[in-house]
Amino acid sequence: MKTASAQTALMPAESNALALGFSGSLGNIDAYISAVNRLPMLTHEEEVKLARDLREKNDLGAAQKMVLSHLRLVVSIARGYLGYGLPHADLIQEGNIGLMKAVKRFDPAQNVRLVSYAMHWIKAEIHEYILKNWRLVKVATTKAQRKLFFNLRSHKEGLDAMTPAQVEALAKTLDVKREEVIEMETRLSGRDIALESPTDDEDDKFAPIAYLSSDNSEPTRVIEAKQYDRLQSEGLEAALSKLDERSRRIVEARWLANDDGSGATLHELADEFGVSAERIRQIEAVALKKMKTSLQAYS
């Protein structure tokens, strides 16, 4: 279960949204539901007093009592979204966050009961959670699509594809285009595909992950390739330009003359410059060290 800012704004940091204010062990969701259903409800007068204490005195104890007395409402609302295949406990958790936001914003002067005010916030948090987690690829992105998403789920009968007459009737009921209904139904009909094989046998080579992944597109490889290209072009030229003419000639002849690395030997360069092979080796070592320092800026 995750911790939310709305929760910490109203409750002690050590409280858990699904075990808020309870003593003892709530090891499973059934125990939690049983516990919240035993919590006492607030009268209208008690609710108004607690809300005023929260707004005027920042009384977190009053906020906690208001939250606890409405946890059963969250359980009831969350139960209506079990058809999306998400854990009941997670739906309740998100709904509890919505309840806490409602309590924080509740104004008793509006003469509205908290139960009516909180329903909007509870459903909003659950809706957001479903849209983020029901599919890896979002089925609804705009406000209109979200509305159609939840309405279509509640109006559609069974798992079979809708007939043209049903599409037409639903589009008229929801006041949307029939094409939008068809598109959303197609999204809802999609099935998640496992990228990896559930077994460890030869089927692994045929799983989507085997042909979707590529070493060339792996982020680390891409960065390394770009750095290497930069070293080959800008970095190497800049490092060579800082060498004297003889040192540059030695490095180029020894390491850059041929792609296969078969450059000039120390003795060949010694004959060219009229010095010993050991002297060529020393000049080469100093030049390579200087180049290494210059190339650090491109790594």
Side-chain angles (χ1 to χ4, degrees), residues 2-245:
K2 64 185 181 181
T3 304
S5 58
Q7 176 182 342
T8 56
L10 291 176
M11 303 302 164
E14 65 271 19
S15 295
N16 180 282
L18 277 186
L20 202 56
F22 301 116
S23 60
S25 175
L26 295 177
N28 57 60
I29 188 64
D30 292 330
Y32 170 78
I33 294 174
S34 176
V36 300
N37 285 332
R38 292 195 302 268
L39 292 171
M41 299 288 289
L42 296 175
T43 64
H44 180 55
E45 291 74 17
E46 290 173 332
E47 184 178 289
V48 170
K49 182 182 183 302
L50 290 172
R52 286 175 177 168
D53 288 345
L54 174 59
R55 292 179 67 87
E56 298 171 6
K57 305 175 184 178
N58 195 30
D59 185 348
L60 296 185
Q64 186 175 41
K65 290 178 182 178
M66 294 170 69
V67 169
L68 290 173
S69 66
H70 288 80
L71 289 178
R72 68 181 70 195
L73 172 64
V74 176
V75 171
S76 176
I77 293 175
R79 190 178 293 117
Y81 294 91
L82 291 176
Y84 293 95
L86 296 170
H88 194 189
D90 289 353
L91 294 170
I92 293 174
Q93 168 76 346
E94 298 301 320
N96 284 347
I97 293 173
L99 172 60
M100 294 173 197
K101 289 182 178 180
V103 168
K104 185 177 181 180
R105 293 167 173 80
F106 181 61
D107 183 1
Q110 297 295 326
N111 198 28
V112 176
R113 291 300 300 267
L114 178 58
V115 64
S116 300
Y117 181 75
M119 288 181 67
H120 163 77
W121 291 94
I122 295 169
K123 289 182 178 180
E125 288 296 322
I126 293 177
H127 285 187
E128 191 68 23
Y129 171 73
I130 291 172
L131 290 172
K132 287 181 179 178
N133 295 276
W134 198 61
R135 286 282 190 269
L136 289 176
V137 179
K138 301 293 189 297
V139 295
T141 52
T142 66
K143 184 176 181 180
Q145 286 176 336
R146 294 184 180 197
K147 181 179 179 181
L148 179 58
F149 171 78
F150 287 103
N151 277 289
L152 185 59
R153 288 280 300 182
S154 60
H155 282 80
K156 186 176 178 181
E157 298 179 2
L159 299 176
D160 296 332
M162 299 177 67
T163 64
Q166 290 175 323
V167 171
E168 193 70 41
L170 186 55
K172 185 176 181 180
T173 300
L174 301 179
D175 192 25
V176 296
K177 297 178 181 179
R178 60 187 308 276
E179 291 79 9
E180 294 177 342
V181 175
I182 295 173
E183 180 185 357
M184 184 57 67
E185 187 194 20
T186 302
R187 295 189 186 189
L188 290 174
S189 300
R191 293 292 181 267
D192 295 333
I193 300 175
L195 293 179
E196 299 178 345
S197 172
T199 61
D200 295 327
D201 54 23
E202 287 297 311
D203 290 340
D204 286 343
K205 65 179 66 175
F206 301 106
I209 194 67
Y211 51 83
L212 288 178
S213 62
S214 170
D215 289 341
N216 293 333
S217 60
E218 199 274 324
T220 304
R221 295 287 182 89
V222 173
I223 294 173
E224 289 176 349
K226 288 183 178 180
Q227 289 179 334
Y228 180 77
D229 291 342
R230 192 161 177 246
L231 279 172
Q232 288 280 54
S233 55
E234 302 174 27
L236 189 57
E237 183 60 35
L240 287 171
S241 68
K242 295 181 179 180
L243 300 178
D244 60 80
E245 185 176 344

